[in-house]
């Protein structure tokens, strides 16, 4: 268990990830600010973070050269109360993850998407709920061959789409989209190949 009690770790030289987790199943990391400081590619990177006893919570991730949070092949892990901001890539990027839950998370002021749900080898079944995506390039980008659940969120200020899907079986519900300042921005965009998506009971304001 790593408990930071609001401590800050800051990169002071070029590095791949300020904090990297490689193949773990029983750990808790909480109460830290991970400041990549324009030197680390990622504030936090996780590979094969597995099981509900793998918990990341109460973290701030910022100023990465790429994605603030990067995960690949996570299985059933839990992430909550995390803010990822001011990164040059996505706030949160998750590739080939199964049953991973993001809850009460915020992505803001990122050059890429707030949340990128991606497929490389076998697909993605992520649950993203009680989330905020604010002032990112895209609110949520879904490129998953299996699907996922995106619900109970707020998306605003994106420069391109609020939600963009180019894959299948995404369930999008109870998400509020606030109108962008640009009239050319689309709230929801399903690109050719995006099949069997269920988009139910969402809200549009502004």
């Amino acid at each position: 268990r790593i408990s930071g009690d609001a401590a800050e770790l800051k990169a002071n030289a070029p590095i791949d990830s300020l904090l990297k987790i490689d193949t773990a199943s029983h750990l808790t990391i909480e109460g830290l600010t991970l400041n990549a400081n324009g030197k680390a590619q990622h504030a936090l990177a996780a590979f094969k973070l597995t099981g509900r006893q793998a918990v990341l919570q109460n973290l701030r991730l910022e100023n990465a050269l790429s994605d603030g949070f990067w995960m690949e092949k996570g299985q059933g892990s839990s992430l909550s109360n995390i803010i990822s901001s001011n990164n040059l890539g996505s706030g949160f990027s998750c590739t080939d993850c199964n049953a991973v839950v993001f809850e009460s998370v915020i992505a803001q002021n990122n050059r890429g998407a707030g949340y990128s749900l991606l497929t490389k080898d076998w697909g993605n079944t992520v649950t993203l709920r009680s989330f905020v995506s604010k002032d990112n390039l895209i609110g949520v980008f879904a490129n998953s061959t299996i699907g996922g659940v995106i619900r109970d969120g707020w998306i605003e200020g994106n420069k391109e789409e609020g939600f963009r899907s180019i894959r299948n079986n995404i369930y999008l519900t109870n998400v509020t989209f606030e109108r962008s300042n640009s009239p050319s921005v689309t709230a929801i965009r399903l690109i050719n190949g995006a099949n069997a998506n269920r988009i139910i009971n969402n809200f549009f304001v502004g």
Side-chain angles (χ1 to χ4, degrees):
R1 185 185 189 101
I2 301 174
S3 184
D5 194 22
E8 181 182 45
L9 301 179
K10 180 185 288 188
N12 59 13
I15 190 172
D16 179 66
S17 301
L18 185 55
L19 180 60
K20 186 172 184 178
I21 304 164
D22 191 342
T23 313
S25 59
H26 291 77
L27 85 164
T28 298
I29 299 176
E30 62 184 357
L32 291 171
T33 293
L34 301 177
N35 184 354
N37 196 30
K39 299 181 183 297
Q41 292 297 311
H42 310 291
L44 176 58
F47 180 74
K48 290 189 176 179
L49 186 62
T50 304
R52 286 291 180 251
Q53 291 178 305
V55 177
L56 306 178
Q57 60 187 12
N58 302 322
L59 302 171
R60 294 185 66 94
L61 315 173
E62 57 194 27
N63 301 319
L65 293 172
S66 184
D67 307 318
F69 175 77
W70 175 92
M71 173 184 275
E72 185 172 335
K73 294 180 170 59
Q75 302 286 322
S77 43
S78 175
L79 303 95
S80 63
N81 297 301
I82 300 174
I83 300 172
S84 186
S85 62
N86 301 310
N87 303 293
L88 298 186
S90 296
F92 296 84
S93 179
C94 193
T95 301
D96 290 350
C97 293
N98 180 36
V100 171
V101 176
F102 292 83
E103 185 166 16
S104 300
V105 288
I106 297 173
Q108 61 186 18
N109 298 318
N110 297 290
R111 294 270 187 94
Y115 306 87
S116 292
L117 311 178
L118 308 174
T119 290
K120 186 171 75 172
D121 297 320
W122 62 55
N124 229 328
T125 55
V126 168
T127 295
L128 174 61
R129 65 187 182 215
S130 300
F131 70 95
V132 173
S133 181
K134 182 177 180 181
D135 298 333
N136 303 291
L137 179 65
I138 300 169
V140 178
F141 174 63
N143 172 14
S144 174
T145 56
I146 295 178
V149 176
I150 301 168
R151 61 175 304 141
D152 308 327
W154 181 279
I155 296 176
E156 68 167 289
N158 45 284
K159 297 174 180 63
E160 296 184 7
E161 297 92 349
F163 171 73
R164 180 193 294 179
S165 176
I166 62 174
R167 291 294 184 177
N168 306 327
N169 300 313
I170 300 293
Y171 180 48
L172 178 72
T173 186
N174 201 33
V175 174
T176 298
F177 294 83
E178 184 174 89
R179 184 180 177 86
S180 169
N181 290 328
S182 172
S184 64
V185 170
T186 301
I188 297 174
R189 184 181 183 194
L190 305 180
I191 297 175
N192 185 32
N195 300 312
N197 290 285
R198 291 180 294 164
I199 299 174
I200 302 171
N201 295 332
N202 297 287
F203 306 94
F204 305 89
V205 299

